[in-house]
Amino acid sequence: MEKRTFIKFTLAAAACATLGTAYAADPIRIGAVLSVTGPAAYLGDPELKTLQMYVETLNKNGGLIGRPIELVHYDDGSESGKANGFTKRLIENDKVDLIIGGTTSGATMAMAPLVERAQIPFISLAGAVVIVEPPKKWMFKTPHTDRMAAERVFDDMKKAGLTKVALLSENSGFGQSGRKESQAVAAKYGITLVADETYGPKDTDMTAQLTKIKGVAGVQAVFVFGLGQGPAVVTKNYAQLGIKLPLYQSHGVASDEYIRLAGSAAEGVRLPSPALPVAAKLPATDPQKKVVSDYAKLFAERWKAEPSTFGGYAYDGLMLAADAIRRAGSTDKAKVRDALESTSNLVATSGTFNLSANDHMGLSLSAFRMLEIRNGDWTLLN
Amino acid sequence: MLSELLQFLFSGLTVGAMYALAAVGFSLIYSASGVINFAQGEFIMLGGMSAALLVQAGVPLPLAITLAILVAVVAGLIVEKLAIEPAGNAEVVTLVIITIGASLTLRGLVEVFLGKGNHALPAFSGEEPIAILGATLMPQSLWVMGVTLVVVVALALFFGRTTLGKAVLATSCNKLAAQLVGVNTRFVLLLAFGLSAALGAVGGILVAPMTYTSYDAGIMMGLKGFVAAALGGLGSGVGAIVGGLLLGIVEAMTAGYISSAYKDAMPFVLILLILFFLPQGIFGKKTTDRV
Amino acid sequence: MKPTTRGFLFLAFVLAVLPLALPNAYYYDLAIRMAINATIAVGLNLLVGYTGQISLGHAGFFGIGAYASAILTSRYGLPSALAMGLGAAATAALAFVVARPILKLKGNYLAMATLGLGIILSMVIVNETEFTGGPDGMPVDAFSLFGLQIAGEQAWYGVVAVLLLFVTRGALNLIDAPAGRALQAIHGSEVAARVAGIDVPSFKVRVFVLSAVIASVMGSVTAHYVGFLTPGVAGFFHSIELITMVVLGGMASVFGSILGAVVLTLLPQLLSAFEGWETVIFGLILMLTMIFLPRGIVPTLRLKFAGRAA
């Protein structure tokens, strides 16, 4: 008897729960799989904070198309195998309407077959070109590709007459993808890569690699592709060895933390970056000025932490989604997907997005700003 | 060419001294308990993180260093008291998993309360590189190497000249026999953890100005420390130092002359070769099984 | 009926009725991952639990299988079954070559050597970008046999459930056979085992190769099932995870390994509710379990109940 009552009760409760969600809230469910811990936490942590913060903000302003937003997020611990599992959970169990995330390219590609099969709009926050090239029906991404970063750097080198470049890349997804793209586009800018060295993400000393690079005949500049503490160590070692060649970094170091860690050794370093680090220095006429200033201010207030360009990617992803859902007028997956593909002139932190059937990222090369570190601060180059 | 070689050597010695400090901690605990303490890396991280954050908060450097060592020692004692001691005479693998659990807990707590950012500590004696025969060395490297040397001498004196040190050695040889001659083996174990944590913290603090520190800095240092300790021979203080320096130099030379992509694999190739021919590590004790 | 036979029938029963209780593909996915891990753990337990030889490098063998399947099918168009077989053969060959010198080592040196082997393998996978796709990983084609594709969670569940049963049965038989007693004798005392006429090195090598091949085959299965592969599968942390399953569930207990795998696969899913505290809680659970159940969950509980009954 007891057992039967229990079963009845459970069934009733379950029925209530299902009906309850159908009637009362009916929220828009946005799923996210991010690398909040592990080696890629440097990217994933601000991404999650940004999503949480802006979902709160959107809900405070009445949600989207009259419905509240619910964020369902999982941490893949920087393991793409877990990202794959959690994506299944989002699709099958949490029944989300749209997925943001995949902090790293590896995680994104592990999630890709699932979202394509389930036919659900997916906005990745990772950099690799392969995510959107060739365009896959349900996949979009917000950050500039690593190819664009390499192109922006090589373009700057070309203008300065630097043609023999040493490449030093991090032995991580970010660094190795950057290395591959750098090798692919170097020739287009008349650049020869005369050295190809790597370092581990947690390495503590890169003087060996830099000494080797220093000894390469005719080398004119060094390009480092990595993120977090590694590039800061490289920069310090660079100064220690007294190498006077121009030092270029990737967008992976576009955060105040880099300047703080590398200190005076970072003087003169050049890098491509979204507008965020130079929000205050943008001319008033810049269309992005308001967006990036507001984002930086809100993030700093809410989390008592420095805003990062990686968090900005999540902001862009959420805004792309919100914009698409508004224009679609529903959370119908196919309609939202079509709306995403027709996004135009959406100003966000990474640049102005103009998507199309052939371009599921929608940023142009000019969205990357060239910055130089002078007097311990970012300077905008033209 | 000489200057290049010298530069690789400096790099190897600096990094190697860091590994050596980490390895000494492993060796000490292994001596006292036969346990490979996978939480050793977290002591290193705790030292570096505490010092960096205290300095950021305006605490003067010497005081910050003292407090940071204290934080790590307290953590070490807590791990021993609450995790190792209650486990009693469990199998080695069980104890290994317990220390892995302890390391995850410590790392997780730091992550929750101190965040995931990278932090730097100011260099103790400025940032002006010292030029020697065309190669350069940071003053902080001298600090690391110097302190490593001091630690070696101090430990040698401790084990060779003090009753307490001999008690630790006795416990490592035969726990039961040590107890019979009146050694308080529980205290010895506690001492080993406290001392290892302190040494780890010193290492973490010394390297923080050069390598920066973060909540997950202990993973890599812990692993390298274990490798260095095994390379030199577990339980041997001198072995730990030699193992650490060797590891650092092999990495730097591989990166410099062979391939930077495989520099982290090289020490493992080396260790496999050494273990195949010297199954007890370079300085490990020859033991015979009792039947 | 022997307790192990009862246990085996119970496992078969659970695997057979489980699909009725799985509401959607996500739960199937969990069950599949559990079964894959459980199969590896049962194999690893033969080495660690029964023979007393620690290995911190089994993820390396898993990685060989996984990447052999991925590379040979996707880049060279080999049939998936053949690729899986070649991966297993390569693993067996490597394990066989290194087993003798490695297994001469004891305790922590053995741990170090297997750890080193695992790390070298994972480093090759990370660095040989042209074949493996590097840190960003590579996609893997679906598994097909005689033109028939295994796709979808239900089909895969069937495959891994059968594999788990097969390996479990095999392990149980082995332990009961004279060979199994020889292994346990080696665990007890190598010298005594040798005195009793057991060819110790040969037994150790065989069980090492066996557990490595099981890990390799499950690596192939995982690669095809997930459809995407990154070097993390061959990494140090995966090795630690695998051995933790064995120790947590119970050394020298086949069903303990299965339980350990189930718990450790489930835990991260359950812990995802504790935002930010996952690592702390996971660490605490590991510590507490091992402190209070030092022989692992199943053997400790079995002892307790046996004690009460007596």
Side-chain angles (χ1 to χ4, degrees), chain A residues 73 80-81 84 86 88-89 92-93 106 109 117 171 173 177, chain C residues 24-27 29 33 126-127 135 153 225 228 230 269 275:
Chain A
H73 63 89
S80 40
N84 176 283
F86 281 127
K88 248 176 222 175
R89 189 166 175 181
E92 302 289 344
N93 208 46
M109 294 315 286
R117 197 175 73 193
N171 212 344
S177 179
Chain C
N24 57 41
Y26 159 62
Y27 287 94
D29 180 65
R33 284 169 202 261
V126 171
N127 283 323
E153 281 76 13
Y225 165 63
F228 195 85
T230 47
Q269 298 287 331
E275 301 201 4

PDB file of all heavy atoms in Angstrom, chain A residues 73 80-81 84 86 88-89 92-93 106 109 117 171 173 177, chain C residues 24-27 29 33 126-127 135 153 225 228 230 269 275:
ATOM      1  N   HIS A  73      23.737  26.224 -17.144  1.00  0.00           N
ATOM      2  CA  HIS A  73      25.142  26.162 -17.571  1.00  0.00           C
ATOM      3  C   HIS A  73      25.891  25.030 -16.901  1.00  0.00           C
ATOM      4  O   HIS A  73      25.614  24.646 -15.775  1.00  0.00           O
ATOM      5  CB  HIS A  73      25.839  27.485 -17.284  1.00  0.00           C
ATOM      6  CG  HIS A  73      25.903  27.808 -15.831  1.00  0.00           C
ATOM      7  ND1 HIS A  73      26.932  27.402 -15.023  1.00  0.00           N
ATOM      8  CD2 HIS A  73      25.057  28.487 -15.035  1.00  0.00           C
ATOM      9  CE1 HIS A  73      26.725  27.812 -13.804  1.00  0.00           C
ATOM     10  NE2 HIS A  73      25.586  28.467 -13.766  1.00  0.00           N
ATOM     11  N   SER A  80      37.085  18.448 -23.534  1.00  0.00           N
ATOM     12  CA  SER A  80      36.048  18.488 -24.560  1.00  0.00           C
ATOM     13  C   SER A  80      35.145  17.260 -24.514  1.00  0.00           C
ATOM     14  O   SER A  80      34.000  17.322 -24.934  1.00  0.00           O
ATOM     15  CB  SER A  80      36.680  18.651 -25.934  1.00  0.00           C
ATOM     16  OG  SER A  80      37.830  17.870 -26.016  1.00  0.00           O
ATOM     17  N   GLY A  81      35.654  16.153 -23.973  1.00  0.00           N
ATOM     18  CA  GLY A  81      34.799  14.976 -23.822  1.00  0.00           C
ATOM     19  C   GLY A  81      33.611  15.299 -22.929  1.00  0.00           C
ATOM     20  O   GLY A  81      32.479  14.891 -23.189  1.00  0.00           O
ATOM     21  N   ASN A  84      31.000  17.465 -24.669  1.00  0.00           N
ATOM     22  CA  ASN A  84      30.108  16.642 -25.481  1.00  0.00           C
ATOM     23  C   ASN A  84      28.971  16.072 -24.632  1.00  0.00           C
ATOM     24  O   ASN A  84      27.796  16.154 -24.991  1.00  0.00           O
ATOM     25  CB  ASN A  84      30.949  15.533 -26.127  1.00  0.00           C
ATOM     26  CG  ASN A  84      30.128  14.555 -26.927  1.00  0.00           C
ATOM     27  OD1 ASN A  84      29.471  13.692 -26.351  1.00  0.00           O
ATOM     28  ND2 ASN A  84      30.143  14.694 -28.240  1.00  0.00           N
ATOM     29  N   PHE A  86      27.814  17.123 -21.679  1.00  0.00           N
ATOM     30  CA  PHE A  86      26.926  18.167 -21.146  1.00  0.00           C
ATOM     31  C   PHE A  86      26.024  18.737 -22.236  1.00  0.00           C
ATOM     32  O   PHE A  86      24.908  19.174 -21.965  1.00  0.00           O
ATOM     33  CB  PHE A  86      27.740  19.283 -20.491  1.00  0.00           C
ATOM     34  CG  PHE A  86      28.212  18.932 -19.103  1.00  0.00           C
ATOM     35  CD1 PHE A  86      29.537  19.020 -18.743  1.00  0.00           C
ATOM     36  CD2 PHE A  86      27.287  18.516 -18.140  1.00  0.00           C
ATOM     37  CE1 PHE A  86      29.963  18.695 -17.464  1.00  0.00           C
ATOM     38  CE2 PHE A  86      27.701  18.199 -16.855  1.00  0.00           C
ATOM     39  CZ  PHE A  86      29.043  18.289 -16.517  1.00  0.00           C
ATOM     40  N   LYS A  88      24.724  17.008 -24.619  1.00  0.00           N
ATOM     41  CA  LYS A  88      23.612  16.059 -24.677  1.00  0.00           C
ATOM     42  C   LYS A  88      22.619  16.362 -23.574  1.00  0.00           C
ATOM     43  O   LYS A  88      21.411  16.324 -23.765  1.00  0.00           O
ATOM     44  CB  LYS A  88      24.156  14.637 -24.520  1.00  0.00           C
ATOM     45  CG  LYS A  88      24.009  13.833 -25.776  1.00  0.00           C
ATOM     46  CD  LYS A  88      24.632  12.473 -25.671  1.00  0.00           C
ATOM     47  CE  LYS A  88      25.349  12.195 -26.973  1.00  0.00           C
ATOM     48  NZ  LYS A  88      26.100  10.963 -26.963  1.00  0.00           N
ATOM     49  N   ARG A  89      23.164  16.644 -22.379  1.00  0.00           N
ATOM     50  CA  ARG A  89      22.293  16.941 -21.246  1.00  0.00           C
ATOM     51  C   ARG A  89      21.442  18.185 -21.524  1.00  0.00           C
ATOM     52  O   ARG A  89      20.239  18.199 -21.251  1.00  0.00           O
ATOM     53  CB  ARG A  89      23.158  17.155 -20.004  1.00  0.00           C
ATOM     54  CG  ARG A  89      22.375  17.249 -18.724  1.00  0.00           C
ATOM     55  CD  ARG A  89      23.290  17.109 -17.529  1.00  0.00           C
ATOM     56  NE  ARG A  89      22.569  17.323 -16.292  1.00  0.00           N
ATOM     57  CZ  ARG A  89      23.141  17.272 -15.095  1.00  0.00           C
ATOM     58  NH1 ARG A  89      24.421  17.028 -14.974  1.00  0.00           N
ATOM     59  NH2 ARG A  89      22.426  17.467 -14.000  1.00  0.00           N
ATOM     60  N   GLU A  92      18.894  17.081 -24.486  1.00  0.00           N
ATOM     61  CA  GLU A  92      17.931  16.014 -24.222  1.00  0.00           C
ATOM     62  C   GLU A  92      17.190  16.206 -22.907  1.00  0.00           C
ATOM     63  O   GLU A  92      16.018  15.876 -22.797  1.00  0.00           O
ATOM     64  CB  GLU A  92      18.653  14.670 -24.175  1.00  0.00           C
ATOM     65  CG  GLU A  92      19.422  14.322 -25.424  1.00  0.00           C
ATOM     66  CD  GLU A  92      18.505  13.983 -26.581  1.00  0.00           C
ATOM     67  OE1 GLU A  92      17.311  13.721 -26.316  1.00  0.00           O
ATOM     68  OE2 GLU A  92      18.973  13.995 -27.736  1.00  0.00           O
ATOM     69  N   ASN A  93      17.886  16.669 -21.906  1.00  0.00           N
ATOM     70  CA  ASN A  93      17.307  16.688 -20.572  1.00  0.00           C
ATOM     71  C   ASN A  93      16.793  18.065 -20.179  1.00  0.00           C
ATOM     72  O   ASN A  93      15.720  18.197 -19.626  1.00  0.00           O
ATOM     73  CB  ASN A  93      18.350  16.216 -19.566  1.00  0.00           C
ATOM     74  CG  ASN A  93      17.726  15.570 -18.365  1.00  0.00           C
ATOM     75  OD1 ASN A  93      16.824  14.748 -18.516  1.00  0.00           O
ATOM     76  ND2 ASN A  93      18.161  15.954 -17.200  1.00  0.00           N
ATOM     77  N   GLY A 106      38.295  23.044 -29.319  1.00  0.00           N
ATOM     78  CA  GLY A 106      38.139  21.602 -29.140  1.00  0.00           C
ATOM     79  C   GLY A 106      36.754  21.267 -28.614  1.00  0.00           C
ATOM     80  O   GLY A 106      36.066  20.383 -29.134  1.00  0.00           O
ATOM     81  N   MET A 109      34.067  21.855 -31.280  1.00  0.00           N
ATOM     82  CA  MET A 109      33.996  20.828 -32.316  1.00  0.00           C
ATOM     83  C   MET A 109      33.437  19.513 -31.755  1.00  0.00           C
ATOM     84  O   MET A 109      32.821  18.740 -32.483  1.00  0.00           O
ATOM     85  CB  MET A 109      35.367  20.598 -32.946  1.00  0.00           C
ATOM     86  CG  MET A 109      35.897  21.801 -33.726  1.00  0.00           C
ATOM     87  SD  MET A 109      34.678  22.581 -34.800  1.00  0.00           S
ATOM     88  CE  MET A 109      34.583  21.368 -36.116  1.00  0.00           C
ATOM     89  N   ARG A 117      22.864  17.606 -35.318  1.00  0.00           N
ATOM     90  CA  ARG A 117      21.876  16.531 -35.351  1.00  0.00           C
ATOM     91  C   ARG A 117      20.584  16.968 -34.689  1.00  0.00           C
ATOM     92  O   ARG A 117      19.492  16.676 -35.167  1.00  0.00           O
ATOM     93  CB  ARG A 117      22.452  15.299 -34.648  1.00  0.00           C
ATOM     94  CG  ARG A 117      21.716  14.020 -34.953  1.00  0.00           C
ATOM     95  CD  ARG A 117      22.410  12.835 -34.333  1.00  0.00           C
ATOM     96  NE  ARG A 117      22.223  12.810 -32.893  1.00  0.00           N
ATOM     97  CZ  ARG A 117      22.912  12.029 -32.056  1.00  0.00           C
ATOM     98  NH1 ARG A 117      23.839  11.249 -32.514  1.00  0.00           N
ATOM     99  NH2 ARG A 117      22.670  12.056 -30.769  1.00  0.00           N
ATOM    100  N   ASN A 171      51.613  25.499 -26.401  1.00  0.00           N
ATOM    101  CA  ASN A 171      51.213  24.130 -26.703  1.00  0.00           C
ATOM    102  C   ASN A 171      49.810  23.836 -26.175  1.00  0.00           C
ATOM    103  O   ASN A 171      49.605  22.897 -25.429  1.00  0.00           O
ATOM    104  CB  ASN A 171      52.221  23.183 -26.062  1.00  0.00           C
ATOM    105  CG  ASN A 171      52.385  21.943 -26.882  1.00  0.00           C
ATOM    106  OD1 ASN A 171      51.562  21.667 -27.739  1.00  0.00           O
ATOM    107  ND2 ASN A 171      53.438  21.206 -26.627  1.00  0.00           N
ATOM    108  N   GLY A 173      45.315  24.403 -27.257  1.00  0.00           N
ATOM    109  CA  GLY A 173      44.425  24.545 -28.393  1.00  0.00           C
ATOM    110  C   GLY A 173      44.533  25.940 -28.998  1.00  0.00           C
ATOM    111  O   GLY A 173      44.688  26.106 -30.201  1.00  0.00           O
ATOM    112  N   SER A 177      46.274  26.312 -32.693  1.00  0.00           N
ATOM    113  CA  SER A 177      45.390  26.756 -33.760  1.00  0.00           C
ATOM    114  C   SER A 177      45.933  28.057 -34.345  1.00  0.00           C
ATOM    115  O   SER A 177      45.961  28.253 -35.567  1.00  0.00           O
ATOM    116  CB  SER A 177      43.985  26.945 -33.188  1.00  0.00           C
ATOM    117  OG  SER A 177      43.118  27.383 -34.166  1.00  0.00           O
TER     118      SER A 177
ATOM    119  N   ASN C  24      15.751   9.561 -21.464  1.00  0.00           N
ATOM    120  CA  ASN C  24      16.127  10.189 -22.731  1.00  0.00           C
ATOM    121  C   ASN C  24      17.586   9.932 -23.054  1.00  0.00           C
ATOM    122  O   ASN C  24      18.313   9.287 -22.302  1.00  0.00           O
ATOM    123  CB  ASN C  24      15.839  11.700 -22.701  1.00  0.00           C
ATOM    124  CG  ASN C  24      16.558  12.374 -21.554  1.00  0.00           C
ATOM    125  OD1 ASN C  24      17.708  12.065 -21.268  1.00  0.00           O
ATOM    126  ND2 ASN C  24      15.870  13.279 -20.878  1.00  0.00           N
ATOM    127  N   ALA C  25      18.016  10.474 -24.185  1.00  0.00           N
ATOM    128  CA  ALA C  25      19.359  10.183 -24.697  1.00  0.00           C
ATOM    129  C   ALA C  25      20.449  10.608 -23.730  1.00  0.00           C
ATOM    130  O   ALA C  25      21.529  10.034 -23.710  1.00  0.00           O
ATOM    131  CB  ALA C  25      19.558  10.870 -26.039  1.00  0.00           C
ATOM    132  N   TYR C  26      20.176  11.623 -22.924  1.00  0.00           N
ATOM    133  CA  TYR C  26      21.195  12.058 -21.979  1.00  0.00           C
ATOM    134  C   TYR C  26      21.493  10.956 -20.966  1.00  0.00           C
ATOM    135  O   TYR C  26      22.652  10.690 -20.645  1.00  0.00           O
ATOM    136  CB  TYR C  26      20.756  13.345 -21.282  1.00  0.00           C
ATOM    137  CG  TYR C  26      21.464  13.591 -19.977  1.00  0.00           C
ATOM    138  CD1 TYR C  26      22.849  13.773 -19.952  1.00  0.00           C
ATOM    139  CD2 TYR C  26      20.779  13.629 -18.774  1.00  0.00           C
ATOM    140  CE1 TYR C  26      23.518  13.983 -18.771  1.00  0.00           C
ATOM    141  CE2 TYR C  26      21.435  13.839 -17.583  1.00  0.00           C
ATOM    142  CZ  TYR C  26      22.804  14.014 -17.582  1.00  0.00           C
ATOM    143  OH  TYR C  26      23.458  14.215 -16.411  1.00  0.00           O
ATOM    144  N   TYR C  27      20.457  10.312 -20.473  1.00  0.00           N
ATOM    145  CA  TYR C  27      20.667   9.238 -19.497  1.00  0.00           C
ATOM    146  C   TYR C  27      21.325   8.025 -20.154  1.00  0.00           C
ATOM    147  O   TYR C  27      22.137   7.346 -19.549  1.00  0.00           O
ATOM    148  CB  TYR C  27      19.351   8.862 -18.815  1.00  0.00           C
ATOM    149  CG  TYR C  27      18.911   9.928 -17.837  1.00  0.00           C
ATOM    150  CD1 TYR C  27      18.031  10.927 -18.222  1.00  0.00           C
ATOM    151  CD2 TYR C  27      19.415   9.954 -16.544  1.00  0.00           C
ATOM    152  CE1 TYR C  27      17.661  11.927 -17.343  1.00  0.00           C
ATOM    153  CE2 TYR C  27      19.059  10.939 -15.656  1.00  0.00           C
ATOM    154  CZ  TYR C  27      18.171  11.936 -16.054  1.00  0.00           C
ATOM    155  OH  TYR C  27      17.835  12.920 -15.180  1.00  0.00           O
ATOM    156  N   ASP C  29      23.403   8.303 -22.539  1.00  0.00           N
ATOM    157  CA  ASP C  29      24.780   8.741 -22.678  1.00  0.00           C
ATOM    158  C   ASP C  29      25.560   8.454 -21.391  1.00  0.00           C
ATOM    159  O   ASP C  29      26.664   7.927 -21.417  1.00  0.00           O
ATOM    160  CB  ASP C  29      24.798  10.240 -22.998  1.00  0.00           C
ATOM    161  CG  ASP C  29      26.202  10.766 -23.162  1.00  0.00           C
ATOM    162  OD1 ASP C  29      26.871  10.340 -24.106  1.00  0.00           O
ATOM    163  OD2 ASP C  29      26.633  11.601 -22.342  1.00  0.00           O
ATOM    164  N   ARG C  33      28.727   5.913 -20.906  1.00  0.00           N
ATOM    165  CA  ARG C  33      30.033   6.315 -20.363  1.00  0.00           C
ATOM    166  C   ARG C  33      30.394   5.477 -19.135  1.00  0.00           C
ATOM    167  O   ARG C  33      31.544   5.123 -18.914  1.00  0.00           O
ATOM    168  CB  ARG C  33      30.021   7.804 -20.015  1.00  0.00           C
ATOM    169  CG  ARG C  33      30.123   8.672 -21.259  1.00  0.00           C
ATOM    170  CD  ARG C  33      29.840  10.141 -20.976  1.00  0.00           C
ATOM    171  NE  ARG C  33      29.437  10.822 -22.191  1.00  0.00           N
ATOM    172  CZ  ARG C  33      30.263  11.565 -22.945  1.00  0.00           C
ATOM    173  NH1 ARG C  33      31.511  11.708 -22.593  1.00  0.00           N
ATOM    174  NH2 ARG C  33      29.828  12.140 -24.039  1.00  0.00           N
ATOM    175  N   VAL C 126      49.598  15.175 -28.672  1.00  0.00           N
ATOM    176  CA  VAL C 126      49.453  16.635 -28.721  1.00  0.00           C
ATOM    177  C   VAL C 126      50.304  17.218 -29.849  1.00  0.00           C
ATOM    178  O   VAL C 126      49.876  18.125 -30.562  1.00  0.00           O
ATOM    179  CB  VAL C 126      49.858  17.269 -27.375  1.00  0.00           C
ATOM    180  CG1 VAL C 126      49.926  18.786 -27.491  1.00  0.00           C
ATOM    181  CG2 VAL C 126      48.868  16.874 -26.289  1.00  0.00           C
ATOM    182  N   ASN C 127      51.504  16.698 -30.023  1.00  0.00           N
ATOM    183  CA  ASN C 127      52.454  17.350 -30.925  1.00  0.00           C
ATOM    184  C   ASN C 127      52.345  16.932 -32.384  1.00  0.00           C
ATOM    185  O   ASN C 127      52.689  17.703 -33.272  1.00  0.00           O
ATOM    186  CB  ASN C 127      53.882  17.113 -30.433  1.00  0.00           C
ATOM    187  CG  ASN C 127      54.213  18.011 -29.260  1.00  0.00           C
ATOM    188  OD1 ASN C 127      53.793  19.165 -29.215  1.00  0.00           O
ATOM    189  ND2 ASN C 127      54.929  17.486 -28.295  1.00  0.00           N
ATOM    190  N   PRO C 135      46.013  19.811 -30.064  1.00  0.00           N
ATOM    191  CA  PRO C 135      45.200  20.029 -28.869  1.00  0.00           C
ATOM    192  C   PRO C 135      43.718  20.264 -29.185  1.00  0.00           C
ATOM    193  O   PRO C 135      42.861  20.013 -28.357  1.00  0.00           O
ATOM    194  CB  PRO C 135      45.792  21.290 -28.237  1.00  0.00           C
ATOM    195  CG  PRO C 135      47.106  21.496 -28.886  1.00  0.00           C
ATOM    196  CD  PRO C 135      47.075  20.812 -30.198  1.00  0.00           C
ATOM    197  N   GLU C 153      22.283   6.487 -29.389  1.00  0.00           N
ATOM    198  CA  GLU C 153      22.635   6.050 -28.043  1.00  0.00           C
ATOM    199  C   GLU C 153      22.174   4.627 -27.759  1.00  0.00           C
ATOM    200  O   GLU C 153      22.855   3.866 -27.074  1.00  0.00           O
ATOM    201  CB  GLU C 153      22.040   6.999 -26.997  1.00  0.00           C
ATOM    202  CG  GLU C 153      22.827   8.285 -26.806  1.00  0.00           C
ATOM    203  CD  GLU C 153      22.612   9.271 -27.935  1.00  0.00           C
ATOM    204  OE1 GLU C 153      21.678   9.071 -28.741  1.00  0.00           O
ATOM    205  OE2 GLU C 153      23.374  10.247 -28.013  1.00  0.00           O
ATOM    206  N   TYR C 225      32.011   6.434 -30.621  1.00  0.00           N
ATOM    207  CA  TYR C 225      30.745   6.820 -29.980  1.00  0.00           C
ATOM    208  C   TYR C 225      30.629   8.337 -29.881  1.00  0.00           C
ATOM    209  O   TYR C 225      29.633   8.936 -30.281  1.00  0.00           O
ATOM    210  CB  TYR C 225      30.621   6.168 -28.598  1.00  0.00           C
ATOM    211  CG  TYR C 225      29.536   6.799 -27.768  1.00  0.00           C
ATOM    212  CD1 TYR C 225      28.212   6.733 -28.188  1.00  0.00           C
ATOM    213  CD2 TYR C 225      29.826   7.499 -26.604  1.00  0.00           C
ATOM    214  CE1 TYR C 225      27.204   7.340 -27.465  1.00  0.00           C
ATOM    215  CE2 TYR C 225      28.830   8.106 -25.877  1.00  0.00           C
ATOM    216  CZ  TYR C 225      27.519   8.032 -26.303  1.00  0.00           C
ATOM    217  OH  TYR C 225      26.533   8.652 -25.599  1.00  0.00           O
ATOM    218  N   PHE C 228      34.271  12.653 -31.606  1.00  0.00           N
ATOM    219  CA  PHE C 228      35.293  13.693 -31.578  1.00  0.00           C
ATOM    220  C   PHE C 228      36.295  13.362 -30.492  1.00  0.00           C
ATOM    221  O   PHE C 228      35.929  12.848 -29.442  1.00  0.00           O
ATOM    222  CB  PHE C 228      34.677  15.066 -31.321  1.00  0.00           C
ATOM    223  CG  PHE C 228      35.621  16.176 -31.642  1.00  0.00           C
ATOM    224  CD1 PHE C 228      35.722  16.641 -32.945  1.00  0.00           C
ATOM    225  CD2 PHE C 228      36.419  16.734 -30.658  1.00  0.00           C
ATOM    226  CE1 PHE C 228      36.614  17.654 -33.261  1.00  0.00           C
ATOM    227  CE2 PHE C 228      37.317  17.751 -30.979  1.00  0.00           C
ATOM    228  CZ  PHE C 228      37.412  18.216 -32.275  1.00  0.00           C
ATOM    229  N   THR C 230      39.952  14.514 -28.337  1.00  0.00           N
ATOM    230  CA  THR C 230      41.016  15.460 -28.008  1.00  0.00           C
ATOM    231  C   THR C 230      42.068  14.754 -27.152  1.00  0.00           C
ATOM    232  O   THR C 230      41.779  13.728 -26.539  1.00  0.00           O
ATOM    233  CB  THR C 230      40.475  16.688 -27.243  1.00  0.00           C
ATOM    234  OG1 THR C 230      39.621  16.234 -26.215  1.00  0.00           O
ATOM    235  CG2 THR C 230      39.737  17.630 -28.149  1.00  0.00           C
ATOM    236  N   GLN C 269      28.435  14.867 -12.772  1.00  0.00           N
ATOM    237  CA  GLN C 269      27.096  15.286 -13.202  1.00  0.00           C
ATOM    238  C   GLN C 269      26.289  15.797 -12.014  1.00  0.00           C
ATOM    239  O   GLN C 269      25.605  16.808 -12.088  1.00  0.00           O
ATOM    240  CB  GLN C 269      26.367  14.120 -13.874  1.00  0.00           C
ATOM    241  CG  GLN C 269      27.044  13.604 -15.120  1.00  0.00           C
ATOM    242  CD  GLN C 269      26.911  14.550 -16.298  1.00  0.00           C
ATOM    243  OE1 GLN C 269      25.940  15.282 -16.401  1.00  0.00           O
ATOM    244  NE2 GLN C 269      27.893  14.556 -17.165  1.00  0.00           N
ATOM    245  N   GLU C 275      27.690  25.067  -8.003  1.00  0.00           N
ATOM    246  CA  GLU C 275      28.494  26.038  -8.726  1.00  0.00           C
ATOM    247  C   GLU C 275      29.796  26.441  -8.046  1.00  0.00           C
ATOM    248  O   GLU C 275      29.796  27.059  -6.996  1.00  0.00           O
ATOM    249  CB  GLU C 275      27.667  27.297  -8.904  1.00  0.00           C
ATOM    250  CG  GLU C 275      26.411  26.989  -9.648  1.00  0.00           C
ATOM    251  CD  GLU C 275      25.836  28.230 -10.266  1.00  0.00           C
ATOM    252  OE1 GLU C 275      26.478  29.284 -10.152  1.00  0.00           O
ATOM    253  OE2 GLU C 275      24.753  28.122 -10.848  1.00  0.00           O
TER     254      GLU C 275
END
